[in-house]
Amino acid sequence: MPDTRPLRDELQATLDARRDLGPDYEPALIDSFVDRIDATITARVRAELDHHGAAPRRKPPASQLIPLALGSMGLGIPLTAIGAAQAGGVGLLIVWLAIVVINVAAAVAIIRRP
């Protein structure tokens, strides 16, 4: 666990300064203390990232879904023609239900990927 003693000392110094200067300087003292806490947190986070390394960046799921959507459209056009010519409306319905099921399953798998 990191040493919190310097922050405790900073807080005590801020409280002492408030007591000496009065409530008129309270907002400035609070802002100064918050800035020091922020700097401490930033330094700790940077140290952890340097120690463990940054997490690998993943492609956002949307960018992985674009090829799936384009492929579905590309295959959907000829399959629609074949399904409609061979089985009419039922063939058309079967083709597009299959395309929808495949796309939904692939999208779920892409989004769930760690």
Side-chain angles (χ1 to χ4, degrees):
M1 185 156 165
D3 182 24
T4 59
R5 192 75 191 141
L7 282 178
R8 289 177 190 267
D9 294 343
E10 292 284 340
L11 178 59
Q12 188 60 49
T14 301
L15 292 173
D16 292 342
R18 194 245 182 234
R19 203 174 309 124
D20 293 341
L21 297 173
D24 295 337
Y25 291 93
E26 189 170 300
L29 291 170
I30 290 172
D31 289 342
S32 174
F33 182 69
V34 168
D35 289 343
R36 284 179 276 192
I37 289 175
D38 188 39
T40 302
I41 291 171
T42 301
R44 287 180 185 173
V45 168
R46 283 194 183 131
E48 282 294 316
L49 287 176
D50 290 343
H51 182 262
H52 295 291
R57 294 186 183 240
R58 287 182 41 210
K59 286 174 133 181
S63 69
Q64 296 173 350
L65 293 174
I66 291 173
L68 178 66
L70 293 176
S72 294
M73 295 300 290
L75 291 174
I77 293 169
L79 289 176
T80 298
I82 294 168
Q86 296 297 319
V90 173
L92 186 66
L93 183 65
I94 291 172
V95 165
W96 280 101
L97 281 176
I99 290 172
V100 168
V101 168
I102 290 169
N103 278 296
V104 168
V108 168
I110 288 171
I111 291 172
R112 285 188 179 175
R113 219 182 294 164

